[in-house]
Amino acid sequence: GCKGGPIRLCSLFGKFRYTAGAAKKNRQEEALRASMINQEICLLNDGFPPIIDGVSNVVVNYGGILTEKGIKAAVAAPDVEGADDSAYPFPVLRYQSLDLREQIGYTVGNPFSLSLMHRLREHDIGLVHSHCPMMSQFLARQIREMQDVPVVMTYHTKYDIDIANALKGKLLQKGAVSALVENVSACDELWVVS
């Protein structure tokens, strides 16, 4: 069973589900109903091919499997020079980014891109599924504000360790971890890969 209180941790298909509050529960139920009437699931991640890592592969696979099953999916990811998204069976919405691959191995997207917000309004999004608690989760929160949809996040790794490795200053590390905690807390549902 679930542990009681306003925050419940439940085992679900080998993952953990985090749910807080009645309003969030209502958004989750609305999203499920909405997805059944052909709305789109918007997948977000800070990395996407040609940047290859495990989470990028998960997002590619989710998009492909959802599309195969007749569920509309779209991916929003930072722009990467040389990216060719034409082979994917789902739309990939690239947005402005800084190329920091030499410093941290990734591009860093601008989650407040106005051009991306305009393009996202053209999509009938019923659910946002973020795969990173950093810039993608800032973007997920913007989409939720704009379209009043729930946000699910899958927590794939120990980001606090990644932050400590990428940022050397203790003050920067503390600020980044604080933003990470705030972003995770803003989710309607959190899945932690076991």
Side-chain angles (χ1 to χ4, degrees):
C2 296
K3 297 181 185 199
I7 298 174
R8 300 185 320 250
L9 215 50
C10 306
S11 179
L12 178 69
F13 304 114
K15 299 180 180 179
F16 290 99
R17 184 177 70 193
Y18 164 89
T19 308
K24 289 183 179 183
K25 186 69 173 170
N26 289 340
R27 276 200 303 263
Q28 293 165 3
E29 290 169 2
E30 287 174 19
L32 182 57
R33 282 192 298 275
S35 68
M36 294 184 169
I37 58 170
N38 218 17
Q39 284 186 307
E40 199 166 49
I41 295 175
C42 184
L43 304 168
L44 308 175
N45 192 38
D46 287 9
F48 194 76
I51 294 176
I52 301 293
D53 65 12
V55 183
S56 297
N57 288 333
V58 166
V59 174
V60 169
N61 289 333
Y62 271 26
I65 290 167
L66 289 168
T67 302
E68 273 179 30
K69 293 186 176 290
I71 299 168
K72 290 182 181 179
V75 170
D79 195 18
V80 178
E81 187 177 335
D84 179 6
D85 302 318
S86 62
Y88 298 114
F90 48 83
V92 178
L93 306 167
R94 296 288 185 165
Y95 56 96
Q96 179 186 18
S97 66
L98 291 172
D99 189 347
L100 298 179
R101 286 180 283 182
E102 288 185 22
Q103 293 83 0
I104 62 172
Y106 290 91
T107 56
V108 176
N110 173 10
F112 308 107
S113 165
L114 290 177
S115 67
L116 176 63
M117 289 300 136
H118 289 300
R119 287 182 288 147
L120 284 168
R121 283 176 206 233
E122 297 170 5
H123 291 258
D124 189 17
I125 298 169
L127 177 71
V128 176
H129 187 170
S130 175
H131 289 267
C132 182
M134 305 307 282
M135 296 305 170
S136 292
Q137 190 59 22
F138 283 117
L139 176 56
R141 293 170 72 181
Q142 294 291 320
I143 296 169
R144 177 173 53 204
E145 284 294 313
M146 181 177 69
Q147 298 198 10
D148 193 31
V149 296
V151 173
V152 173
M153 191 185 94
T154 301
Y155 198 92
H156 289 273
T157 189
K158 295 179 179 178
Y159 291 97
D160 54 329
I161 294 170
D162 294 342
I163 289 169
N165 290 334
L167 303 173
K168 300 305 173 199
K170 293 291 183 193
L171 189 59
L172 286 173
Q173 289 175 6
K174 185 177 178 181
V177 168
S178 178
L180 181 144
V181 169
E182 186 176 318
N183 276 340
V184 169
S185 298
C187 296
D188 295 293
E189 188 158 301
L190 175 65
W191 294 347
V192 179
V193 179
S194 57

